Amino acid sequence: MAPKTVFLAFAEQDELFRDLFTTQWARAGDQARVLDALGDGTRPGEWKRHVRERIRGCDGVIALIGGSTPASAAALWQIRCAVDEGKPLLGLWVETEHRSKPAEMGPARCESWTWENIGDFIDRL
């Protein structure tokens, strides 16, 4: 079976969590590969088009949800885009003290950041 492709949405202030996630992910094997938004300095409309194309090409989306998420227009837009594109979406809490699910996620679940929860999500894709 071919590996799944997962888009990783996160607030730009949460790059540390993104780095931790991708480092751990790389050690977990080749069950799936992770893509995130390109921070290449393109104009906002162009950036959104590139991100939407990446999300469309993915099997699902994982959103890292923390205290910076509610104020991150980019993260909230990526989450809305995933919902608009009908992609399976999983929110992962990155901070125990910040567990406020963004309304943009709709009925998608937010769960603790465990490899069991991530693996279950990947298995459902």
Side-chain angles (χ1 to χ4, degrees):
M1 182 163 76
K4 303 293 183 184
T5 302
V6 177
F7 184 89
L8 186 63
F10 62 95
E12 34 308 312
Q13 298 87 344
D14 290 335
E15 284 186 37
L16 179 64
F17 292 115
R18 186 265 329 255
D19 293 348
L20 178 60
F21 184 91
T22 55
T23 298
Q24 289 178 344
W25 188 280
R27 294 182 187 153
D30 60 358
Q31 179 184 8
R33 66 186 188 116
V34 176
L35 301 176
D36 62 22
L38 299 171
D40 60 3
T42 57
R43 293 189 315 266
E46 203 169 301
W47 176 84
K48 285 183 176 182
R49 185 177 56 79
H50 286 289
V51 170
R52 185 173 294 277
E53 287 173 9
R54 291 192 106 176
I55 290 174
R56 276 187 188 138
C58 289
D59 298 295
V61 175
I62 292 176
L64 302 180
I65 307 297
S68 300
T69 307
S72 173
L76 296 175
W77 185 86
Q78 291 169 40
I79 291 167
R80 274 193 306 274
C81 183
V83 171
D84 291 348
E85 294 296 328
K87 296 297 179 177
L89 174 63
L90 172 65
L92 294 178
W93 304 122
V94 298
E95 300 170 288
T96 56
E97 66 275 7
H98 296 288
R99 292 195 172 206
S100 179
K101 178 181 160 185
E104 288 80 358
M105 289 189 68
R109 295 188 331 232
C110 282
E111 298 178 351
S112 297
W113 179 348
T114 67
W115 291 107
E116 182 179 357
N117 288 339
I118 295 166
D120 290 346
F121 176 72
I122 299 298
D123 289 345
R124 289 191 305 266
L125 295 178

